[in-house]
Amino acid sequence: MAEPQWLNEDELRAWYAFVAAGALMNRRLDQQLKEDVGITHLQYEILVRLDAAKDRELRMSELAGALLNSKSGLTYQITQLEKAGLVARRSCASDVRAVYAGLTDAGRSMLERAAPGHVALVRELLIDVLTPGQLATVADGLGEVTRRMQESEAPR
Amino acid sequence: MAEPQWLNEDELRAWYAFVAAGALMNRRLDQQLKEDVGITHLQYEILVRLDAAKDRELRMSELAGALLNSKSGLTYQITQLEKAGLVARRSCASDVRAVYAGLTDAGRSMLERAAPGHVALVRELLIDVLTPGQLATVADGLGEVTRRMQESEAPR
DNA sequence: CCATCGAGGTTCAAATTTGAACCTGCCGGT
DNA sequence: ACCGGCAGGTTCAAATTTGAACCTCGATGG
């Protein structure tokens, strides 16, 4: 069998830059959102998806698909958000099993308060650091990376 | 005050590609390493750093700096790795407070077993999906992003 | 119509992560 | 030599995450 194909120096640089940037970015965003408005990055993302959805609501499974965590994790987070009054569960008429999570007015207002600071930080930490060309490359390259991973997703 | 500067379409694409790729990648690597050799990606990274270090050992604080998690998180992981016999703690002669974590022979052997599959997956999911040019851009761009975040690290 | 399979969510226990104390012991200033 | 501050790690409780088991239905093929 062939020797494993180790990463050369450039590949290693790219790999570590990718991993480190992701981790640091997440930490920063979490921190800022927490001290700014008291929610985590994950919760913020949930609110964003709901806000963007038709009627500002989505089924749990749709949310779980868009986000990247497990079903039970989503159940937990939605419960938290519901306790905080930012989201409300509603059962589905046509399918008794299904559950919709909908953004409440408080949730919408939270989003409005959180978004400016969040976006500004994303801009400061990522967008503004890259040239437009680099940004496009990242979008294309990592977009393709993402697409492939989603396709080959081991169906759990 | 100025309207918050929202992200345009390209910026949004880049941002989401970046976030999604990071999350999916981590999930995949964790899965593979776990079912392959029974360690997490984080633990793998710890072993790698130790292996690369002089005398195959590092102080806890050095490790914590290289990795991206909290001090207590590292204590926990090192304890786990020590239970598994992959790492050994050793106290420092010159500074009683300091603790060294060193790779054991079992740890080295684990790394040798884990690395080929891990590297192959990184290659398959990221490296081989990008063109050399894209790879270089990612290394440069995200490298700079990482550097800036580390510099401006709010000293905790 | 009936048995099954599988989808949609939740629950539960176990593993992990985090942040805030908390100990010790190094160090600089007085 | 003595004190206050801080660096290096650990501990502890609380929050989160994960995966497996479970429950309830909807859809499908006989």
Side-chain angles (χ1 to χ4, degrees):
Chain A
M1 89 195 95
E3 263 299 291
Q5 180 66 49
W6 300 112
L7 302 186
N8 66 37
E9 195 180 326
D10 285 339
E11 293 167 340
L12 206 53
R13 273 202 319 133
W15 169 237
Y16 273 122
F18 173 69
V19 171
L24 289 173
M25 190 73 82
N26 238 309
R27 187 189 290 322
R28 284 297 196 87
L29 294 174
D30 248 4
Q31 258 183 241
Q32 194 221 19
L33 281 170
K34 264 189 251 185
E35 77 180 38
D36 231 51
V37 296
I39 63 178
T40 65
H41 184 206
L42 175 55
Q43 295 178 325
Y44 177 84
E45 282 303 320
I46 293 177
L47 298 183
V48 168
R49 312 296 171 125
L50 292 181
D51 189 51
K54 183 166 178 313
D55 292 333
R56 299 180 192 289
E57 61 178 17
L58 283 175
R59 297 171 52 144
M60 298 296 278
S61 52
E62 295 178 301
L63 257 180
L67 306 166
L68 336 88
N69 57 7
S70 56
K71 288 190 300 179
S72 54
L74 183 59
T75 292
Y76 175 77
Q77 286 300 341
I78 293 293
T79 301
Q80 296 311 104
L81 288 170
E82 199 168 30
K83 280 183 193 165
L86 305 178
V87 158
R89 277 187 171 91
R90 169 175 90 66
S91 51
C92 172
S94 62
D95 186 338
V96 186
R97 295 170 305 175
V99 173
Y100 279 95
L103 202 59
T104 64
D105 288 339
R108 192 117 62 92
S109 139
M110 162 64 81
L111 207 45
E112 279 164 14
R113 257 175 303 142
H118 173 75
V119 171
L121 189 54
V122 168
R123 203 171 258 304
E124 175 193 335
L125 296 181
L126 182 77
I127 309 289
D128 288 350
V129 175
L130 302 178
T131 66
Q134 288 179 320
L135 205 62
T137 299
V138 166
D140 292 345
L142 297 188
E144 178 62 16
V145 166
T146 299
R147 200 165 314 115
R148 293 205 190 186
M149 281 195 283
Q150 285 174 330
E151 280 172 10
S152 65
E153 191 78 359
R156 55 186 66 208
Chain B
M1 87 197 97
E3 265 298 290
Q5 179 66 52
W6 300 112
L7 302 186
N8 66 36
E9 196 180 327
D10 285 338
E11 293 167 341
L12 206 54
R13 273 203 318 135
W15 169 238
Y16 273 123
F18 173 70
V19 171
L24 289 174
M25 189 74 82
N26 239 308
R27 185 187 292 321
R28 284 298 196 88
L29 295 174
D30 248 3
Q31 257 183 242
Q32 194 220 20
L33 280 170
K34 264 189 248 184
E35 78 180 38
D36 231 49
V37 297
I39 63 178
T40 65
H41 184 205
L42 175 56
Q43 294 178 325
Y44 177 85
E45 282 304 319
I46 293 178
L47 298 183
V48 168
R49 312 296 171 125
L50 292 181
D51 189 51
K54 182 167 180 311
D55 292 333
R56 301 181 191 286
E57 62 178 17
L58 283 175
R59 295 172 53 146
M60 297 296 277
S61 52
E62 295 178 300
L63 257 180
L67 306 166
L68 336 88
N69 57 7
S70 56
K71 287 190 302 179
S72 54
L74 182 60
T75 293
Y76 175 78
Q77 285 300 341
I78 293 293
T79 301
Q80 296 311 102
L81 288 170
E82 199 167 30
K83 280 183 193 165
L86 305 178
V87 157
R89 276 187 172 91
R90 169 175 90 64
S91 52
C92 173
S94 62
D95 186 338
V96 186
R97 296 169 305 173
V99 172
Y100 279 95
L103 201 59
T104 63
D105 289 340
R108 191 117 62 93
S109 138
M110 162 65 80
L111 207 44
E112 279 165 15
R113 257 175 303 141
H118 174 74
V119 172
L121 189 55
V122 168
R123 203 172 258 303
E124 175 193 335
L125 296 181
L126 182 77
I127 308 289
D128 287 350
V129 176
L130 303 178
T131 66
Q134 289 179 320
L135 206 62
T137 299
V138 165
D140 292 345
L142 297 188
E144 178 62 16
V145 166
T146 298
R147 200 166 313 114
R148 294 205 190 185
M149 281 195 282
Q150 285 174 330
E151 278 170 11
S152 64
E153 192 77 1
R156 55 184 68 207

